[in-house]
Amino acid sequence: MEFIDAKTIVRPVKPTDQYISNEYNMNIYRGCSHGCIYCDSRSECYQLQDFDTVKAKRDALTIIENELKRKRKKGIIGTGAMSDPYNPMEEKYELTRGALKLIDKYGFGISITTKSPLIVRDIDILKSISKHSPVDIHITITANDDELSKKIEPSVAPSSERFKAIYSLSQNNLFTGIFINPILPFITDTIENITGIVKRGAEAHAKNIICFTGVTIRNGSRDYLYKSFDKIFPNMREKYTKNFGINYMCNSPDSSILWRAFKNECNKYDIIYDFKTLNKTIRSLYPKEASLFD
């Protein structure tokens, strides 16, 4: 494991209903070893060198504790937007687990996005946090089929194992959902794939599912995606360049049809599918006696 210097780790963010509405963001690790062919974090604008090599921030837990005990306002801390907090190195170093203990100690909530079933290891701490603050977990699943998920996310646990993790978390009364993000046009943008994920999510007792009907592509991430296409999806590069050119947002040509099918399937199982309702529900997870301003 390589360690890098950091002055701060828990940063304030402005809550928004365009995404999960948190007060803070936390990234203990930099880079990711999942190898997902579509990852936007590879984009040049983030200036992340050697992105496939996971690096940890030196003295992360000391920095996090110093920051948490100085914060006057409690709130929900989000993690997982730029680097998966449950990468393979976490199994050994337990930095995310250590951070969760501090979040529990100082009375904050947690919102986690991950692709790893390793999160079930920390059910004990997550349940402890949920006694005083919201715990919101999202497992990213882009393909209902394990073979397809292995092609586009080569170093990630199969989708079937991620569904099992959702079930385990839900059985422990932890508010757990799914991110279908991204949808790759001409690859995963089928009604069967999206409704299949919703159905299996419902069977695993997922409380919410958020679906994005396209993929973002920028300089840096585009090169990696297209080179991956050349290896595993012949002629897909040509389809993308013809349909999207150098566009940043590349939506499925069937976006409206997919969204309608997704929405209907979520309504069928009474699953939350929009950020406004999701954020309102997350806020309702605060115990009545708890306050954001304690």
Side-chain angles (χ1 to χ4, degrees), residues 14 21 27 41 46-47 63 102 144 175 192 212 243 252 258 275 286:
K14 186 177 181 180
S21 186
N27 284 301
S41 294
Y46 297 120
Q47 299 181 341
I63 295 171
L102 293 172
N144 190 33
F175 188 73
E192 292 77 15
F212 301 82
N243 284 271
S252 167
L258 296 174
F275 279 120
Y286 273 106

Side-chain angles (χ1 to χ4, degrees), residues 5-288:
D5 293 328
K7 293 181 179 179
T8 182
I9 295 178
V10 183
R11 303 172 183 268
V13 293
K14 186 177 181 180
T16 171
D17 269 336
Q18 302 303 310
Y19 197 68
I20 299 174
S21 186
N22 302 318
E23 281 72 37
Y24 303 98
N25 190 53
M26 176 183 74
N27 284 301
I28 299 172
Y29 296 98
R30 180 176 294 177
C32 186
S33 58
H34 287 337
C36 303
I37 67 172
Y38 51 73
C39 185
D40 183 65
S41 294
R42 297 180 186 278
S43 301
E44 290 176 358
C45 61
Y46 297 120
Q47 299 181 341
L48 297 177
Q49 301 299 320
D50 303 318
F51 179 74
D52 293 289
T53 301
V54 178
K55 304 171 185 177
K57 294 177 181 177
R58 187 176 286 108
D59 301 320
L61 298 184
T62 299
I63 295 171
I64 291 170
E65 180 158 30
N66 287 336
E67 291 182 319
L68 292 183
K69 65 185 179 184
R70 288 200 309 265
K71 294 191 182 300
R72 297 175 60 188
K73 181 181 179 180
K74 305 295 184 186
I76 301 171
I77 300 172
T79 188
M82 288 293 294
S83 181
D84 198 316
Y86 287 98
N87 63 75
M89 299 297 179
E90 169 61 21
E91 190 165 7
K92 175 182 178 181
Y93 289 92
E94 297 192 355
L95 296 179
T96 297
R97 182 172 176 83
L100 291 177
K101 290 180 180 179
L102 293 172
I103 287 167
D104 187 19
K105 176 181 177 180
Y106 290 101
F108 288 78
I110 186 68
S111 177
I112 301 173
T113 302
T114 182
K115 289 187 176 83
S116 176
L118 180 59
I119 189 174
V120 301
R121 177 201 66 186
D122 295 337
I123 283 176
D124 58 334
I125 308 173
L126 294 168
K127 288 177 70 173
S128 182
I129 295 172
S130 70
K131 293 176 182 177
H132 57 75
S133 302
V135 171
D136 166 46
I137 302 163
H138 279 92
I139 308 291
T140 299
I141 299 176
T142 58
N144 190 33
D145 177 72
D146 280 357
E147 289 187 15
L148 181 54
S149 74
K150 200 67 179 174
K151 288 182 179 180
I152 61 178
E153 301 156 345
S155 298
V156 185
S159 295
S160 56
E161 292 186 20
R162 288 179 251 174
F163 281 115
K164 290 178 183 177
I166 293 166
Y167 181 78
S168 296
L169 293 161
S170 298
Q171 287 298 99
N172 280 276
N173 297 314
L174 294 168
F175 188 73
T176 307
I178 296 171
F179 272 170
I180 307 177
N181 181 35
I183 288 293
L184 289 172
F186 315 119
I187 298 173
T188 61
D189 61 337
T190 66
I191 290 177
E192 292 77 15
N193 182 51
I194 291 177
T195 57
I197 292 173
V198 175
K199 182 177 185 295
R200 291 177 73 181
E203 292 170 349
H205 303 291
K207 299 298 188 295
N208 63 89
I209 302 178
I210 300 294
C211 182
F212 301 82
T213 57
V215 61
T216 56
I217 309 177
R218 291 187 263 211
N219 288 341
S221 61
R222 180 180 288 107
D223 293 341
Y224 191 91
L225 177 65
Y226 286 179
K227 287 178 182 177
S228 299
F229 281 166
D230 293 342
K231 295 177 182 177
I232 55 179
F233 297 113
N235 304 318
M236 193 60 68
R237 177 197 287 258
E238 288 76 10
K239 272 192 174 183
Y240 270 61
T241 54
K242 179 180 178 180
N243 284 271
F244 307 120
I246 57 171
N247 289 348
Y248 165 64
M249 187 69 236
C250 305
N251 285 313
S252 167
D254 297 323
S255 287
S256 58
I257 296 172
L258 296 174
W259 178 256
R260 208 158 39 240
F262 167 71
K263 182 178 176 181
N264 289 339
E265 199 73 3
C266 286
N267 284 330
K268 175 180 175 181
Y269 295 108
D270 195 24
I271 291 174
I272 297 168
Y273 57 84
D274 66 285
F275 279 120
K276 186 174 181 179
T277 305
L278 173 60
N279 285 323
K280 183 178 180 181
T281 305
I282 292 171
R283 297 291 158 178
S284 73
L285 299 177
Y286 273 106
K288 290 182 179 179

